[in-house]
């Protein structure tokens, strides 16, 4: 771990000075609410349990508040930034405030939804402050494309944090809950006050911890097939699964047959099902091709080996996703919506 000067991290005056020098004004469109409190970013790093041997990927570093705190603790930090001005400035900020760690930092100037490879060693952790309107698609995309990520801690709008960590039967359990649980064990990891941001948002923020599953969901269905069932079930969440999955299966009777074969009541609703149960439904889709000799209890393939992954993360908006808007990921924190 590096020893750094006490003022290496960015405080309120530093953030405003940097923003003024760059001509940056936080915008609602990109959810730009910059963290201005050094204690908060250090708390995030502690909660993420960043280790000296970690390679951390950060999405949306903004002016570098969290980036510098990560560099204090990790072996290497790779930041993905879409904004032209912020991307150009961040390496200089790191070099000026933490010169002894500058060679441990790399910047990828891109939309996180388009990134398929990162420089240097494979990332072991993802730590980021994500704008709420793209939080879930960015999170799912990173977990899909970089299976080496073992631990994740993201800060998002409190409502999104609740949905990600919700369990079956909870009223906010939905698409984000199930898809996140496909990859990881998910839990709430704390709350963040509004006064640590500039400008202060109109919403509360929450931390979500995701620890990748040591064993994948046991299923013969590919991830994309399972996610198709999830999307269909929650697109009409007030309906029974027999009705909600009629379009997916081809008819209500075909949906019922798939549900019965999976051991699930046709009268159940999506909010009651685990990710394993959604996988069982996907396995029993009418007409689904099965290879001869396929093991019914075989494990799911690793994400990197499956057919072109979860496009649901980048599709047009659907009910209950809270997330599927055009992916601009430069913002370091959840936005405060005035709507």
């Amino acid at each position: 771990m590096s020893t750094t000067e006490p003022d290496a991290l960015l405080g309120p005056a530093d953030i405003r000075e940097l923003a003024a020098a760059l001509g940056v004004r936080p915008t609602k469109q990109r959810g730009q609410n910059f963290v201005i409190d050094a204690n908060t970013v250090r708390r995030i790093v502690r909660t993420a349990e960043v280790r000296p041997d970690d390679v951390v990927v950060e999405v949306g570093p903004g002016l570098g508040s969290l980036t510098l705190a990560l560099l204090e603790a990790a072996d290497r930090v790779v930041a993905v930034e879409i904004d032209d001005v912020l991307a150009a400035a961040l390496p200089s900020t790191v070099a000026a405030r933490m010169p002894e760690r500058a060679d441990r930092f790399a910047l990828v100037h891109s939309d996180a939804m388009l990134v398929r490879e990162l420089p240097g060693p494979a990332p072991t952790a993802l730590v980021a402050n994500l704008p709420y309107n793209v939080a879930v698609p960015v999170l799912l995309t990173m977990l899909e494309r970089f299976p080496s990520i073992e631990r994740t801690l993201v800060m998002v709008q409190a409502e999104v944090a609740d949905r990600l960590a919700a369990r079956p039967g909870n009223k906010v359990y939905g698409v984000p809950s199930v898809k996140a649980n496909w990859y990881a064990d998910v839990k709430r990891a704390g709350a963040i006050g509004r006064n640590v941001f500039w400008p202060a948002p109109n919403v509360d923020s929450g931390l979500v911890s995701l620890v990748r599953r040591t064993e994948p969901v046991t299923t013969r269905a590919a991830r994309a097939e399972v996610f198709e069932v999830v999307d269909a079930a929650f697109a009409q969440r007030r309906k029974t699964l027999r009705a909600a999955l009629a379009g997916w299966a081809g008819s209500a009777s075909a949906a019922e047959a798939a549900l019965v074969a999976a051991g699930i009541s046709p009268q159940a609703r999506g909010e009651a099902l685990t990710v394993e149960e959604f996988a069982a439904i996907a396995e029993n889709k009418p007409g689904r091709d099965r290879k001869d000799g396929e093991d019914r209890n075989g494990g799911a393939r690793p994400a990197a080996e499956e057919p072109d992954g979860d496009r649901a993360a980048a599709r047009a908006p659907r009910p209950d996703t809270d997330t599927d808007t055009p992916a601009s990921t430069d913002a370091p924190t959840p936005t405060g919506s005035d709507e």
Side-chain angles (χ1 to χ4, degrees), residues 258-283:
L259 289 161
V260 171
I264 296 165
S265 168
Q267 302 306 308
R269 288 176 169 78
E271 62 200 42
L273 269 57
T274 65
V275 66
E276 289 83 3
E277 289 172 318
F278 279 110
I281 297 171
E283 286 185 1

Side-chain angles (χ1 to χ4, degrees), residues 170-171 173-174 233-239 269 271 320:
N170 189 297
K171 65 180 181 179
Y173 182 76
F234 286 102
Q236 303 179 77
R237 65 182 299 151
R238 293 183 181 277
K239 293 186 176 182
R269 288 176 169 78
E271 62 200 42
D320 201 56

Side-chain angles (χ1 to χ4, degrees), residues 159-330:
E159 180 183 350
V160 176
D162 289 340
R163 287 176 180 257
L164 282 167
R167 297 289 185 266
N170 189 297
K171 65 180 181 179
V172 299
Y173 182 76
V175 172
S177 324
V178 183
K179 291 185 178 180
N181 197 234
W182 169 270
Y183 297 103
D185 295 321
V186 189
K187 67 178 182 180
R188 273 290 226 123
I192 301 291
R194 305 180 186 190
N195 62 346
V196 302
F197 301 112
W198 173 66
N202 294 333
V203 294
D204 293 321
S205 301
L207 298 175
V208 181
S209 168
L210 300 96
V211 177
R212 191 178 290 270
R213 288 172 173 263
T214 55
E215 295 293 335
V217 177
T218 301
T219 178
R220 290 178 286 104
R223 179 187 57 251
E225 293 178 291
V226 178
F227 283 10
E228 185 181 8
V229 180
V230 175
D231 291 334
F234 286 102
Q236 303 179 77
R237 65 182 299 151
R238 293 183 181 277
K239 293 186 176 182
T240 65
L241 286 171
R242 183 183 189 277
L245 297 181
W248 165 81
S251 68
S253 59
E256 180 170 351
L259 289 161
V260 171
I264 296 165
S265 168
Q267 302 306 308
R269 288 176 169 78
E271 62 200 42
L273 269 57
T274 65
V275 66
E276 289 83 3
E277 289 172 318
F278 279 110
I281 297 171
E283 286 185 1
N284 288 282
K285 183 177 182 178
R288 179 179 180 274
D289 292 334
R290 296 181 181 178
K291 296 179 180 179
D292 291 337
E294 201 171 35
D295 181 2
R296 181 177 180 83
N297 296 314
R301 286 172 290 179
E305 297 177 3
E306 291 176 3
D308 238 359
D310 171 31
R311 295 296 174 254
R315 291 179 199 153
R318 284 187 303 271
D320 201 56
T321 62
D322 299 328
T323 59
D324 295 342
T325 57
S328 165
T329 59
D330 66 309

Side-chain angles (χ1 to χ4, degrees), residues 143-158:
L143 290 174
E144 172 197 340
R145 293 179 182 167
F146 300 99
S148 61
I149 294 175
E150 301 169 352
R151 287 163 289 113
T152 295
L153 187 80
V154 292
M155 179 160 62
V156 295
Q157 183 189 13

